[in-house]
Amino acid sequence: MKIALVLGTRPEIIKMSPIIRFLEKNKNEYFIIHTNQHYSKNLDEVFFKELELPKVKYNLNVGSGLHGEQTARMMVRIEEIFLKEKPNKILVQGDTNTVLSASIVASKLKIDLGHIEAGLRSGDKNMPEEINRIVADHCSTYLFTPTENSSKNLLNENIKQKNIYMVGNTIVDAIQQNLKIAQKKSDIIKKLNLQEKNYILVTTHRAENVDNKNRLKRIFKGLGMLQKKFSIPVIIPLHPRTLSRIKEFKISIPKTLKIIEPLGYMDFLVLESKTRLIATDSGGIQEEACILHVPCITMRDTTERPETIAVGGNVLVGWDEDKILKYGIKMSKIDKVWPNPFGNGNSSELIIENLSK
Ligand code: UD1
Ligand code: UDP
């Protein structure tokens, strides 16, 4: 078995890291293609360093661009590499344009594709990620779902049961492998002068939020209101996409909010684990909040991670400032421990085991 692993963005590097470690440990034949969809040091290089990942064999240097242009550039290079290297299994993770491009190429070349995090559905086809997920799932031979709910979504789309492997989510593996190390290594709490459970952590980068001036304005208004109500620090490690939209739309951010550069995984994990509340529109951060038992408000109208809501750890608040405030207050008060719906941390092992069969 020769595996080609294709990744390109921050969450893919993090969620693929336990798989890479497992492949290294077991001396499997594999190589990594990095599309470089993410290329800024703090969205890319920092994770390879911190997670001690091996050098990638191919870096495609694709970078940013319009959807068609970016996806097409990836496809051209990925096809060349697949033809040259002749892998017999391809692994992709998630729902980015990197995943879309590798999935289409694998399917055209008739190479077995394994999709990690298969079966997630928000039901909102306006999200580029929803289209990417659907295409990737329908190109795949191995559909590695995190939960029963995601397996059901696939069965509803007539995908065969024999191709579905419920394995949990590799983010649980990543947290288990890194949280203790992070707590030892990171001094972010001290550096930002924070106190445990006495600050709020925020991220926002979803295209449908930040590319819309009205929504972006109202999200920051809501966060400002939340800060005023609690009088505690609100920390926002800002995605470069959001920064550029704030500048473009000339949105004024309340001075009370603390905007910082995107953080490495160790610092971010520590901030997540010790915060009073998370407000986000990220997919992975909804999962991490749930796994770490930190209450979360999700600034979107839909989620492809409904398990986080079902266990009581997450609530959808859209981009309405009053809802951000109301549910921010409500969620920050909940005091219960819910079960982790995303598996027990052996997903990478299960994925490689099933891929080898
Ligand atoms: C992408 C994924 C999204 C995922 C997110 C993770 C798609 C369609 N979107 O969104 O699903 O949640 O990654 O963070 O695949 N930029 C930089 N440096 C970088 C990368 C991007 O400055 O290293 C800026 C550029 O201005 C770029 C913009 O961010 O135009 C958007 O980057 P892009 O990769 O297209 O999408 P993301 O918003 O990062
Ligand atoms: N993350 C990080 N530093 C940050 C913000 C996020 O390390 O400043 C990590 C976070 O812990 C999670 C992943 O990045 O594992 C989520 O990525 P993102 O929100 O960009 O993408 P999504 O999950 O929405 O696709």
Side-chain angles (χ1 to χ4, degrees), residues 65-338:
L66 294 170
H67 283 270
E69 179 203 0
Q70 187 185 48
T71 309
R73 273 196 276 146
M74 290 175 189
M75 284 175 67
V76 170
R77 292 296 319 281
I78 291 172
E79 187 174 48
E80 284 169 7
I81 297 167
F82 285 177
L83 286 170
K84 181 176 144 212
E85 290 274 356
K86 298 188 177 33
N88 47 15
K89 309 275 175 194
I90 313 292
L91 268 181
V92 292
Q93 190 285 330
D95 52 23
T96 62
N97 286 347
T98 294
V99 171
L100 174 69
S101 58
S103 300
I104 297 174
V105 174
S107 138
K108 300 276 178 185
L109 294 179
K110 303 201 180 337
I111 311 174
D112 283 348
L113 175 71
H115 184 205
I116 304 170
E117 222 174 64
L120 273 66
R121 296 290 181 269
S122 68
D124 178 1
K125 284 195 182 154
N126 286 317
M127 296 177 67
E129 291 85 359
E130 184 78 350
I131 303 296
N132 294 351
R133 287 179 200 120
I134 294 172
V135 175
D137 284 342
H138 287 264
C139 290
S140 295
T141 311
Y142 298 85
L143 294 107
F144 297 114
T145 61
T147 65
E148 220 178 284
N149 179 64
S150 34
S151 300
K152 270 193 203 145
N153 289 337
L154 296 176
L155 293 171
N156 287 341
E157 291 176 14
N158 296 323
I159 287 175
K160 292 196 177 72
Q161 177 76 64
K162 71 173 175 58
N163 297 106
I164 302 172
Y165 304 83
M166 195 182 99
V167 294
N169 196 312
T170 58
I171 195 64
V172 182
D173 309 27
I175 290 179
Q176 287 181 3
Q177 290 173 14
N178 296 298
L179 184 60
K180 278 206 183 108
I181 303 172
Q183 278 162 348
K184 265 194 210 148
K185 276 192 179 169
S186 165
D187 62 350
I188 191 74
I189 296 282
K190 209 169 137 198
K191 223 158 117 186
L192 295 176
N193 200 15
L194 300 171
Q195 284 163 349
E196 211 168 307
K197 300 285 169 215
N198 209 31
Y199 63 92
I200 295 170
L201 180 64
V202 177
T203 76
T204 175
H205 74 280
R206 200 96 275 139
E208 56 279 17
N209 277 339
V210 306
D211 293 359
N212 178 318
K213 186 177 176 184
N214 180 42
R215 281 201 195 187
L216 191 57
K217 240 171 127 172
R218 292 183 64 180
I219 283 176
F220 276 99
K221 189 172 174 201
L223 295 171
M225 285 157 65
L226 207 54
Q227 194 288 328
K228 200 167 168 203
K229 170 75 191 168
F230 283 101
S231 283
I232 61 178
V234 172
I235 310 295
I236 315 180
L238 204 64
H239 193 289
R241 178 186 200 112
T242 316
L243 181 64
S244 73
R245 293 296 179 265
I246 288 172
K247 286 184 184 157
E248 184 188 327
F249 298 146
K250 298 191 174 54
I251 293 176
S252 64
I253 305 294
K255 294 259 177 310
T256 47
L257 303 178
K258 190 164 172 64
I259 306 278
I260 59 173
E261 292 276 317
L263 294 167
Y265 195 48
M266 299 299 158
D267 283 343
F268 196 76
L269 254 188
V270 166
L271 277 190
E272 278 185 303
S273 66
K274 294 190 187 299
T275 186
R276 176 140 158 201
L277 176 76
I278 289 177
T280 191
D281 58 16
S282 155
I285 295 169
Q286 289 175 67
E287 293 161 353
E288 285 172 340
C290 185
I291 295 161
L292 294 165
H293 300 116
V294 173
C296 179
I297 59 170
T298 295
M299 300 180 293
R300 292 174 44 188
D301 291 329
T302 58
T303 181
E304 56 295 314
R305 275 98 175 163
E307 300 84 355
T308 58
I309 297 180
V311 296
N314 188 16
V315 62
L316 295 175
V317 299
W319 36 273
D320 179 300
E321 60 275 14
D322 295 323
K323 269 192 168 174
I324 293 175
L325 178 64
K326 179 176 164 195
Y327 288 99
I329 297 171
K330 194 168 166 197
M331 289 304 281
S332 70
K333 284 185 189 147
I334 60 170
D335 185 23
K336 70 169 197 168
V337 175
W338 48 79

Side-chain angles (χ1 to χ4, degrees), residues 13-30:
I13 302 167
I14 294 169
K15 286 175 165 175
M16 280 287 205
S17 68
I19 302 260
I20 298 171
R21 285 180 178 175
F22 189 83
L23 291 169
E24 284 283 324
K25 199 177 92 192
N26 288 282
K27 304 200 168 19
N28 286 86
E29 191 182 358
Y30 83 101

